[in-house]
Amino acid sequence: MPALMNMPEVMANALEATLSSWLKKEGETVEVGDAIAEVETEKATVEIPAEHHGVVARLLVEEGASVEVGAPILVIRTSGETDEEVVTFLRDAGTQTPAAAPEDSDGANPVLVAEVPRQAERRFSSPLARRLARENHVDVAVIPGSGPGGRIVRRDVEQVIAGRADSSRDWTAQMVPVQPTAAGPVQAKAQDVPTRVIAVPHTKMRRAISRRLTESKTTVPHFYLTADVRVDALLTLRKQVNESATRRITVNDLIVKAVGLALLDTPAANCTWSDEAQLQHTAADISVAIAVDGGLLTPVVRSVDSQSLSAVSAAIGDFVERAKAGKIRQEELTGGSFSVTNLGMFGTRQFSAILNPPQSAILAVGAAEPRAVVVDGSLAVATVMTCTLSADHRVIDGAVAAQWMQAFKARIENPLTILV
């Protein structure tokens, strides 16, 4: 009997993923564990393995399609099974009763839907599509589906929602009364939407950023420490290193390395909170914030405290290249206790960052710029960088955070200690 393979939950609590490319074609033989497709989650690209041995009989999802977790993506048959058996199997698998569409009710709040002839037959739709339609008061029963077999998927509902504010789309809004729900207030009429506003549907990454940072600011007690760090000696050392280095070292490479060594100097700061216990980390695994189109990725550089500066630089450079190409893997985004985010290259003097749960600290690095300083009672000019530490007060006390900041400042202002 042919086997149906569904979209796996490639990351915790994921509702959907985008199938970016097939690594196997119809007719090819696969073994259990063979990489069969590349899937994009909210922040990473993951290879998914074949769950059965056999021949790829049908690819049910087009490349680039957004697929809900648990939805069928391909069929694998044994070498002795025929195409007719596959067709019969798919027909039988498609006879499951879908959830009924919401019924209309007179006198209810009006909602916007696409002007498409209502189908007489019952319609297939994914759970996520139905939830999104319900939250935005869209009648899912009249939306044309673009998924396998006409199945209504999330992007179909998002097109209707976006079409409310974009008159250039092929959707014509009309009013259909349906029963109000508890999902929220009714959407405004199409003519009430300002003509100078364009509705851009949320990407998976943007939704993930919104969810995680809202969770962080509402559930984690942040506190902040700021220090001005002189970097003249650091810049001089960097110039000397780059004169003979095979790989160009950046200021950010030196900062990340100094952060790792400061955690080695202050092990009490290298910990994270859990409901069961305080987790003490024995290595400095540090996330580096990388800006990409539409959001931010924070891959983790492992064992920064024990790696050489050139190895740390190579790891960060590799992450930057693959992040911009959308090739960061899911496991590279997990773990770590500390993050570094640097906006100095944009001329930002100082800012405070939001913690990346479950990590307990993040260092926000500003621009290195000439400032007036006092040296031995005399006024002088030095290159100064303002750094702000955000910490989780559940697990890091103020004194511990101050000791870490002191250790970090000492490493930066005495940069030879970063190399030895």
Side-chain angles (χ1 to χ4, degrees), residues 229-297:
V229 184
R230 294 181 59 174
V231 295
D232 298 275
L234 183 83
L235 297 178
T236 300
L237 177 64
R238 172 178 173 262
K239 182 178 179 181
Q240 293 171 347
V241 169
N242 283 334
E243 287 175 353
S244 58
T246 56
R247 176 183 178 82
R248 179 177 174 273
I249 302 299
T250 68
V251 172
N252 202 56
D253 296 337
L254 290 160
I255 291 171
V256 172
K257 179 65 178 176
V259 167
L261 293 173
L263 287 174
L264 187 66
D265 298 334
T266 319
N270 195 15
C271 56
T272 53
W273 171 271
S274 75
D275 291 336
E276 293 76 25
Q278 175 177 306
L279 307 180
Q280 186 69 49
H281 298 256
T282 57
D285 297 337
I286 299 173
S287 295
V288 179
I290 301 172
V292 296
D293 290 342
L296 185 76
L297 294 176

Side-chain angles (χ1 to χ4, degrees), residues 46-105:
V46 182
E47 289 184 350
I48 58 174
E51 299 173 354
H52 309 277
H53 163 76
V55 179
V56 178
R58 291 287 190 281
L59 302 179
L60 304 179
V61 177
E62 294 182 357
E63 292 183 346
S66 183
V67 185
E68 280 71 36
V69 170
I73 57 175
L74 82 156
V75 178
I76 298 177
R77 64 173 176 83
T78 63
S79 57
E81 291 171 328
T82 65
D83 191 65
E84 288 74 17
E85 290 177 287
V86 173
V87 172
T88 301
F89 172 77
L90 285 173
R91 184 177 63 247
D92 293 341
T95 58
Q96 299 176 357
T97 304
E103 297 181 357
D104 290 355
S105 176

Side-chain angles (χ1 to χ4, degrees), residues 101-105 107-111 130-140 177-187:
E103 297 181 357
D104 290 355
S105 176
N109 293 330
V111 300
R130 291 195 298 273
R131 190 187 74 179
L132 185 63
R134 182 173 63 251
E135 291 175 350
N136 290 274
H137 305 281
V138 174
D139 187 355
V140 73
V178 298
Q179 185 66 33
T181 70
V186 176
Q187 296 287 338

Side-chain angles (χ1 to χ4, degrees), residues 204-216:
K204 293 188 291 293
M205 181 182 294
R206 182 52 54 189
R207 289 185 181 277
I209 292 171
S210 172
R211 182 183 69 252
R212 289 182 58 79
L213 295 188
T214 300
E215 173 192 356
S216 178

